[in-house]
Amino acid sequence: SKNYQDMERVAQVVEEGTKFMMGETTHMGEQGSDATFDPTTGGSDGYDGQDQDAIFDDMDGGSPLMGMADSVMSDIMSTQVGPETAKEHIQAFTAAITWDEPFIRFLIAFHVLVIVVAVTLSRKGGIYSRMGLMVFVGLIVRLAERLNAMGASRWREFSTQNYFDKNGIFMGITVCAPLLMVCLFMLVSMIREASNLLGDVTKMKMNSQVKQKQKKEQKQKKDDKKRKKKD
């Protein structure tokens, strides 16, 4: 397979580089018949001290071995395919979270509690209680950046892994997004209730106008009858 061939290339590059460094070859990929390694002097017959210094200087500046190895590794990494579609990104995100740890369970329970309170207040609560919950949600969203920084510095105290990255992706998806959805739900509920109330007021006004008109007509009829009797 391609990965197996890539691993063979890496092994071959490492072997050639080792021989080059030990002095067994004069160039990368060629065997040097006249250059042998002398264990007593730490060098080879074909190189003197200056040549060895030049070799290490070349390695510090950019070894050909490192260049070939980087090329091979880049070929290997190019074959690795990451998530591309939205569904794959969602699956990768959910797979990275440990759902059975206490911190995640507490976060889920908190959102469930907020949703229950929001639904209850939308049906039976007053305007001040709803506004209070919306202000509470807004404060949490406003402080999300600070909460993310605090979580990044103290995640070992309550979590098994650091969910709090620098960009705040975890906080944005798992904390802010559900709270903003709850706030949007309450806002839509209030607008709908205000619209219904406006409709009721309009109906009451129309009914009141109809009743007044009927009273005027009845009064006018009575007056007409009285005039006829006098005549």
Side-chain angles (χ1 to χ4, degrees):
S1 63
K2 186 175 181 180
N3 291 334
Y4 180 74
Q5 293 177 357
D6 292 337
M7 295 302 296
E8 286 186 345
R9 288 175 59 191
V10 173
Q12 184 179 0
V13 169
V14 173
E15 182 180 358
E16 291 180 359
T18 304
K19 291 181 180 180
F20 177 75
M21 293 172 62
M22 298 296 292
E24 296 180 6
T25 58
T26 56
H27 299 285
M28 292 291 291
E30 298 181 0
Q31 296 289 335
S33 58
D34 296 335
T36 58
F37 181 77
D38 187 3
T40 59
T41 60
S44 62
D45 295 339
Y47 296 97
D48 56 9
Q50 294 180 353
D51 293 334
Q52 292 182 7
D53 294 337
I55 291 173
F56 287 110
D57 290 340
D58 292 338
M59 290 178 61
D60 294 336
S63 172
L65 171 64
M66 294 300 297
M68 295 180 68
D70 291 339
S71 177
V72 173
M73 293 304 297
S74 63
D75 292 339
I76 295 175
M77 294 302 294
S78 63
T79 60
Q80 305 295 327
V81 180
E84 296 179 352
T85 63
K87 182 179 180 181
E88 291 177 352
H89 280 285
I90 293 174
Q91 291 176 349
F93 179 80
T94 55
I97 298 177
T98 307
W99 295 99
D100 58 347
E101 67 173 304
F103 168 64
I104 300 298
R105 291 183 177 179
F106 171 79
L107 187 60
I108 294 173
F110 170 74
H111 285 308
V112 171
L113 178 62
V114 171
I115 291 172
V116 171
V117 172
V119 172
T120 304
L121 292 179
S122 297
R123 292 181 178 179
K124 302 179 181 179
I127 184 65
Y128 294 108
S129 58
R130 299 181 192 180
M131 292 300 296
L133 180 61
M134 292 179 67
V135 169
F136 172 72
V137 170
L139 286 175
I140 294 179
V141 175
R142 181 65 179 83
L143 297 175
E145 185 176 356
R146 294 186 180 181
L147 294 175
N148 186 69
M150 291 176 60
S153 62
R154 300 183 179 181
W155 63 270
R156 293 180 180 84
E157 299 177 5
F158 55 87
S159 177
T160 59
Q161 58 178 318
N162 187 7
Y163 296 105
F164 307 95
D165 59 301
K166 184 178 180 181
N167 297 324
I169 297 176
F170 176 81
M171 285 290 294
I173 295 177
T174 62
V175 178
C176 295
L179 292 178
L180 289 176
M181 292 298 292
V182 170
C183 193
L184 179 62
F185 164 76
M186 295 188 66
L187 183 61
V188 171
S189 177
M190 291 175 66
I191 293 175
R192 183 179 179 182
E193 185 176 349
S195 177
N196 294 333
L197 184 61
L198 180 61
D200 294 339
V201 171
T202 304
K203 289 180 180 179
M204 291 175 63
K205 186 176 180 180
M206 292 178 63
N207 293 332
S208 177
Q209 290 177 353
V210 170
K211 289 181 179 180
Q212 289 179 0
K213 187 177 180 180
Q214 289 176 353
K215 287 181 179 180
K216 287 182 180 180
E217 290 178 353
Q218 291 176 358
K219 185 177 181 182
Q220 188 174 2
K221 287 180 180 180
K222 289 180 180 179
D223 293 339
D224 293 339
K225 288 180 178 180
K226 288 181 181 179
R227 289 176 184 175
K228 287 179 179 180
K229 288 181 179 180
K230 288 181 180 180
D231 295 339

